[in-house]
Amino acid sequence: MTGIQMDSGLGNALGFAYEGVSGDRVVVTWTVGPQHLQPFGIVHGGVHCAVNESAASIGGQAWLRDQGLVVGVNNNTDFLRQARTGETLRSVATPIHQGRTTQLWAIETTNAEGKLVSRGQVRLAHIPGSPPQEFLALLDA
């Protein structure tokens, strides 16, 4: 599905726009603003970690559907290039492994020139529970 809007949570506060969401791929775009910066004027590494975990978790839940919940259990991110205020970044998450109890997702964030800004991996665990019906409805819309 395309154009999913999350109306709450950290991704909303950071301005993440979900351009495509499925259990096979998640595309998030975001424009760097003052809220994303560390004191030296470049994107805080925690924002890259947040987009990575957000994208992987959304994709992981889209794949798992109502068979449980996904939770992040590890998040590793390498920062390769600076991004400054006004730049639009594109983060693409794809699964490396989707198993019975865990998933592993790779996320690459690029700038408008297609240059790699950061790369991360997020491991998700499956736990008992059900995602909010609103989330499943967004996937089915």
Side-chain angles (χ1 to χ4, degrees):
M1 78 158 287
T2 60
I4 192 171
Q5 178 62 42
M6 301 293 166
D7 293 328
S8 63
L10 182 61
N12 183 58
L14 293 173
F16 299 162
Y18 296 85
E19 303 297 328
V21 173
S22 74
D24 299 318
R25 179 179 158 110
V26 175
V27 179
V28 181
T29 58
W30 49 292
T31 300
V32 177
Q35 72 274 25
H36 300 117
L37 304 181
Q38 43 94 310
F40 306 110
I42 59 175
V43 176
H44 191 289
V47 178
H48 288 288
C49 293
V51 75
N52 290 352
E53 187 149 347
S54 296
S57 295
I58 295 292
Q61 193 66 59
W63 181 78
L64 193 59
R65 301 287 300 187
D66 60 356
Q67 301 303 305
L69 293 171
V70 297
V71 294
V73 294
N74 191 28
N75 183 333
N76 294 308
T77 304
D78 292 306
F79 315 110
L80 305 166
R81 178 173 275 105
Q82 294 183 62
R84 298 199 181 270
T85 301
E87 285 189 78
T88 297
L89 302 179
R90 182 174 192 258
S91 302
V92 178
T94 54
I96 296 169
H97 167 78
Q98 292 172 305
R100 185 176 55 79
T101 60
T102 65
Q103 298 181 49
L104 182 63
W105 285 71
I107 308 91
E108 291 190 346
T109 298
T110 55
N111 61 20
E113 293 79 40
K115 293 182 178 178
L116 196 57
V117 174
S118 71
R119 185 200 177 282
Q121 282 191 174
V122 173
R123 179 168 296 284
L124 303 170
H126 302 166
I127 64 171
S130 298
Q133 288 303 310
E134 300 82 32
F135 176 79
L136 294 175
L138 286 172
L139 294 175
D140 295 332

